[in-house]
Amino acid sequence: MVFTASQIAGILEGEVEGNPEIAVHKLAKIEEGEKGSLTFLANPKYTPFIYTTKASITIVNKDFTPEQHLATTLIKVEDAYESFSKLLEYYDQVKNTKIGIEHPVFLSESTVYGEGLYLGAFAYVAENVVMGKNVKIYPNAYIGENVQLGDNVIVFSGAKIYSETIIGNNCVIQSGAIVGADGFGFAPTKNGTFSKIPQTGNVILEDDVDVGAGTTIDRATMGSTILRKGVKLDNQIQIAHNVEIGEHTVIAAQTGVAGSTKIGKKCMIGGQVGIVGHITIGDNVRIQAQSGIGRNIKDNEILQGSPALNYGDYNKSYVHFKNFPKIINQINELDKKINSDNNG
């Protein structure tokens, strides 16, 4: 896609200084800018690069006044960083305006869908699926029986949405994600083997949920596994059966949440965190990376460690842990002195 400086200025409500007809077709860091690229200057420490960048267009704050000759065309806005972010969002929307049904695909006759559907080649849409407006399903995706997809849902290549799953508006399912597979339910038998427990529930994603690449969300044994509005999951996360995650909670990569655990609103959970099943984590909880959570957590706690401790207690303890060899030596020397005094 190609945009001119005047077109970009119109989108951002900015002012052009330079050639309004110069065009760009890609984005770049200011220090790596080249002909045909668009960049921005927001952090003052990068100011020297604006005099050497080869980017065709640079977005800057309105109060920026060059002290040397510029080869780049400027677009002046109130906030360069915010405007560049807005432009990225606009670019993403334009990029995802695919419409139409490619071939070959399998689209069940019982499927109901709204206007603006995009269905990529080799996608499979099973019986009784209901899809809203502007749904985008990329090649090789799978949509199982009785699935419901709201408006503006994007399902990227290779993602799998199992039967009975309900997905709200404005959700994004990245490539390789699996939503609605069987939960890990097995019962031990008398002879030492394990018998599979049927997983008869489903998964519900409310509006504005993002699911990262390679992430798996298991269907409930009974009832629903639920991700509330605005939940954001990174790549390669495991959410087990009957888990519930509160509104606007974010979870980083490689975290695992065991079955039937309830996580509150607006929590921030770092990467590689392990959370046991059947516990409750309160609202506004912060859990540092690689922590192990094995107990109920109250609202507003900050945790680190495995098993996780209060964040402040962990840091104080860690100072002593690093000094542990020195402390042991001091104890040994003190012990020798006491023994020497007693023998003397």
Side-chain angles (χ1 to χ4, degrees), residues 129-152:
V129 171
V130 177
M131 299 185 285
K133 299 177 182 178
N134 300 314
V135 171
K136 312 299 179 188
I137 299 175
Y138 281 74
N140 293 301
Y142 169 82
I143 312 296
E145 293 84 357
N146 305 312
V147 166
Q148 297 178 35
L149 304 179
D151 297 340
N152 307 309

Side-chain angles (χ1 to χ4, degrees), residues 27-34 37-40 46 53 55 84:
L27 307 174
K29 297 178 181 178
I30 193 168
E31 65 270 29
E32 299 173 357
E34 54 187 36
S37 66
L38 168 71
T39 189
F40 75 106
Y46 289 96
T53 188
F84 193 74

